Every structure is written in structure tokens, then in C-alpha cells.
Amino acid sequence: MAGSKRKLKLAVWNEFKKVKIGSNEYAKCIYCSKKFSGVSRNGTNHLRLHLKSCVLKKVKLNGQSMVQTSMRFNRTDAGTILVENYTFVQDIARQELSAMIVLHEYPLSMVDHVGFRRYVGALQPLFKMGTRNTIRSDIMAQYELEKKKAIEYMAGIQSRVAITTDLWASNNQNRGYMATTTHFIDESWNLRNIIMRFIYVPAPHTAEVIGEELYDSLVEWNLD
Ligand SMILES: [Zn+2]
């Protein structure tokens, strides 16, 4: 017991510095520079107490992954109100942001829009928005993950699959696109479809070009 107390006492001095002003000795918080008197006489309890509430310590230590816990009210299925802990997690919030952009086809430039930034700031000041490029790479990473899951899922289904390709050129850009879709019946007898590929295919769209791209899709999805 005495040993652990001593350890606690020593640990405090990782976060406080002893400073001398005149003949008085003070303990100075390394985060907020607040000074506390009577170091040796009063022990270190008041210093430890300060570390628990030092705002600047929280800001400086959690700067990388800011976490804030608060209460959240939820309605249960039975209709009663449930109070639970809610923790703001930057990564989850960022995932939700990119999921929203994909779901509603919002422009990536949304993250630069002043109005949107102000809105998010009002909801959660701790949220770090990130740039267009970081959101883009978040979305691409999510895409790769979902695609891997879909490929794995396709490997497990028992039914046959129908492959459809659709090609079109956008008039104003004079560019050709090709979408490859698969239709199948899942284990619950529901008709499902998955877009396997949506790619840019330079013109001309000859039979060889289409065939080659289609073959690549099949190989990629282990359907060859
Ligand atoms: Zn402090």
C-alpha cells in the first residue's frame, strides 16, 4: 500500500514541474501552467485532483482522437425512453459522412461548403471534416471492402447467375461507359442484382473491346 502510494506521488511529477519563485516552491501543470503552492507540505492530492479536471490536458492528450462521452436518449421498441452513453468517435462519424455522400450522390466538394461545415460544427465541434481527397479515399476503401464482401457472397450462392452489360456514351463528354450487372436468385428466393463493374471504356465499342472487359469482370468476380 505504501509502495503504491509512493508510485502515485512520483507519477504526478510527470505532469507537474517544480518551480521556485522567490523562496516559495510551486508545482506547475505542464499543460495549462497553473501553479499550485505548498508542494511538500500538502502532499500531491490537490495536484492529482487538478489533473483530472485540467481542460488543456484533455485537449492536448486527445488531440489525435478526440473522444467525448455524453448521454443519449433512445426510444425502445416498447416505447420507453432509454438513457445510454453516447461517445463521439471521429472515425465513425467520418464513415457516416462518406456513406451519406454515396447514398445520396452528393458532390465530394460538399466537405468544403461553408454552410455544411457550419452545420456540422454546430452539431459536433470536435468533428474534423477532412478534405475532398480524404473523403474520396474513405469512399474508395469502403468500396473495396464492400466489393470483397460481395465477391465472397457470390462465391457461396447456389443459383446460376445472369450477366448483363450496358454501354452508353455521355454526349457532352464523348466518353463511353460500361456497366456489368449480375442477376440471381438468393437462398430466400429473392431476385437480387449486383453491379459488378462500372467503368470507363474508351471508344470504339467493338465486340472485342466489350468481350475483353466482360471477361475481366468475370475473372475478377470468380465467375469465369
Ligand atoms: Zn493543468
Side-chain angles (χ1 to χ4, degrees):
M1 193 60 208
S4 68
K5 243 185 187 165
R6 193 177 147 69
K7 254 183 212 159
L8 264 177
K9 232 172 221 175
L10 286 174
V12 158
W13 293 107
N14 292 329
E15 294 171 287
F16 279 95
K17 253 177 145 171
K18 276 182 186 162
V19 288
K20 239 184 160 169
I21 299 172
S23 58
N24 297 320
E25 215 176 7
Y26 296 93
K28 189 169 117 184
C29 171
I30 61 166
Y31 306 105
C32 69
S33 298
K34 210 176 254 178
K35 288 180 206 72
F36 297 85
S37 57
V39 178
S40 47
R41 231 185 14 256
N42 295 5
T44 52
N45 279 339
H46 62 309
L47 302 183
R48 263 200 301 282
L49 214 65
H50 169 71
L51 287 176
K52 275 185 193 153
S53 64
C54 178
V55 175
L56 279 182
K57 174 182 172 175
K58 275 178 197 133
V59 171
K60 282 175 183 168
L61 292 190
N62 296 329
Q64 288 305 308
S65 58
M66 190 73 89
V67 168
Q68 185 192 52
T69 304
S70 57
M71 294 308 221
R72 170 158 75 176
F73 296 95
N74 247 347
R75 197 176 284 276
T76 64
D77 292 337
T80 52
I81 302 288
L82 198 75
V83 183
E84 58 187 18
N85 272 334
Y86 161 74
T87 306
F88 165 68
V89 182
Q90 167 73 19
D91 288 350
I92 292 176
R94 224 169 89 173
Q95 263 173 37
E96 287 296 337
L97 174 62
S98 49
M100 176 190 71
I101 288 174
V102 170
L103 182 65
H104 301 295
E105 298 177 30
Y106 290 141
L108 292 175
S109 57
M110 186 180 195
V111 297
D112 296 327
H113 293 172
V114 177
F116 181 61
R117 296 186 82 102
R118 280 177 54 174
Y119 169 62
V120 171
L123 292 177
Q124 179 50 274
L126 296 177
F127 182 68
K128 288 198 210 83
M129 185 64 80
T131 64
R132 238 179 283 193
N133 281 334
T134 54
I135 295 299
R136 186 179 181 279
S137 59
D138 281 1
I139 290 173
M140 289 312 287
Q142 191 61 31
Y143 164 73
E144 290 300 336
L145 191 79
E146 290 297 328
K147 183 170 144 191
K148 215 180 130 219
K149 271 198 248 168
I151 290 175
E152 273 165 21
Y153 173 74
M154 291 290 287
I157 61 164
Q158 298 296 310
S159 74
R160 287 165 180 263
V161 296
I163 312 283
T164 317
T165 65
D166 191 11
L167 287 116
W168 74 96
S170 67
N171 290 331
N172 51 346
Q173 291 174 58
N174 204 21
R175 289 181 138 192
Y177 296 93
M178 176 175 170
T180 310
T181 314
T182 174
H183 288 85
F184 58 94
I185 309 282
D186 71 11
E187 57 274 28
S188 313
W189 289 92
N190 295 312
L191 178 63
R192 300 266 307 261
N193 70 78
I194 293 177
I195 296 173
M196 298 161 68
R197 257 188 166 192
F198 190 141
I199 49 164
Y200 166 59
V201 181
H205 291 157
T206 61
E208 285 83 45
V209 172
I210 296 167
E212 220 165 87
E213 294 297 345
L214 181 57
Y215 180 70
D216 285 351
S217 310
L218 296 179
V219 171
E220 196 176 18
W221 284 70
N222 297 320
L223 292 172
D224 54 318

